[in-house]
Amino acid sequence: MLAFSLLAVTFAAVASALPAAKRALGPWCDNLGGGAFDNVANFTVAAYNTTGTNTNTTGAPLVLGQAGAIDGASFKVFSTFATFPYNQYPFIELVDGRLIPSGPGTSPTAINGVTAGSEVTFVASNSVDPTKSAQIWCAVADTDPAGHGTGHPYLALHGDTDSFSLCQYLSQNNVVYKAAAGNGYDFDTCYPVKLQLIY
Ligand SMILES: *[C@@H]1O[C@H](CO)[C@@H](O)[C@H](O)[C@H]1NC(C)=O
Ligand SMILES: *[C@@H]1O[C@H](CO)[C@@H](O)[C@H](O)[C@H]1NC(C)=O
Ligand SMILES: *[C@@H]1O[C@H](CO)[C@@H](O)[C@H](O)[C@H]1NC(C)=O
């Protein structure tokens, strides 16, 4: 009898020590393997040059750079801080596959979608609802057993970490998804990068 109740106590203790079941990842993390996750609080994004030179394993810090405005809204794109030296949205969160930047005194933003050849474009407006932003992002931990990674997780867009470039558009160096000629930016200046989460 004593043995039985001891056993019961032991089971109860083990059960309460087990972590809660892992929430299933959304389809925006499909095919990214066991290192994928889609919720991260408070990080910044940096571009790691996959073919060129990097001064460190972080890569070039990115900010939300200007990309024009219409009545009641402005557009923002990921630009290198080196070419757009203002950081109005210093905090970024990944919430269920949505990328949500914030900063003191700024308007909320949302991404309607990102198509091949285009820049990653945020709409900033007080009438925008960030919880309606496109669920297209996932993060992937650096799990390369050969140790070729940088130690920082990568951002994936549409399940793909390998299709980002930095391209020159006027004075800014902006992030483009699946860069192609004829989209406004200077395609000849594009080079591949990986987007890293820094936190
Ligand atoms: C985000 O992290 C930075 C430090 O990395 C901290 O200074 C800041 O207060 C944090 N912001 C939020 C909104 O949690
Ligand atoms: C990436 O590498 C290329 C080629 O070396 C270089 O021209 C470019 O400035 C580098 N970009 C950054 C952000 O370090
Ligand atoms: C890494 O190098 C970039 C220049 O490519 C620089 O802007 C950034 O501040 C550096 N980050 C760290 C953590 O040293």
Side-chain angles (χ1 to χ4, degrees), residues 2-3 8 25 28 42 79 82-84 90 96 98 108 132 153 158 166 187:
L2 178 64
L25 294 174
W28 42 88
N42 199 8
S79 305
T83 62
F84 189 82
D96 297 344
R98 300 181 180 92
K132 303 268 164 57
H158 302 311
L166 275 176
F187 180 63

Side-chain angles (χ1 to χ4, degrees), residues 120-140:
V120 173
T121 306
F122 297 82
V123 181
S125 165
N126 287 331
S127 59
V128 145
D129 180 357
T131 68
K132 303 268 164 57
S133 194
Q135 290 175 289
I136 49 180
W137 300 93
C138 188
V140 192

Side-chain angles (χ1 to χ4, degrees), residues 52-121:
T53 49
N54 294 278
T55 25
N56 52 53
T57 56
T58 307
L62 299 178
V63 293
L64 264 58
Q66 65 180 356
I70 53 169
D71 199 20
S74 62
F75 301 102
K76 314 276 179 195
V77 292
F78 273 130
S79 305
T80 60
F81 181 68
T83 62
F84 189 82
Y86 310 96
N87 192 3
Q88 291 179 297
Y89 289 85
F91 315 120
I92 303 183
E93 279 179 289
L94 180 63
V95 183
D96 297 344
R98 300 181 180 92
L99 215 48
I100 304 186
S102 62
T106 55
S107 299
T109 69
I111 295 177
N112 289 324
V114 183
T115 54
S118 60
E119 287 155 274
V120 173
T121 306

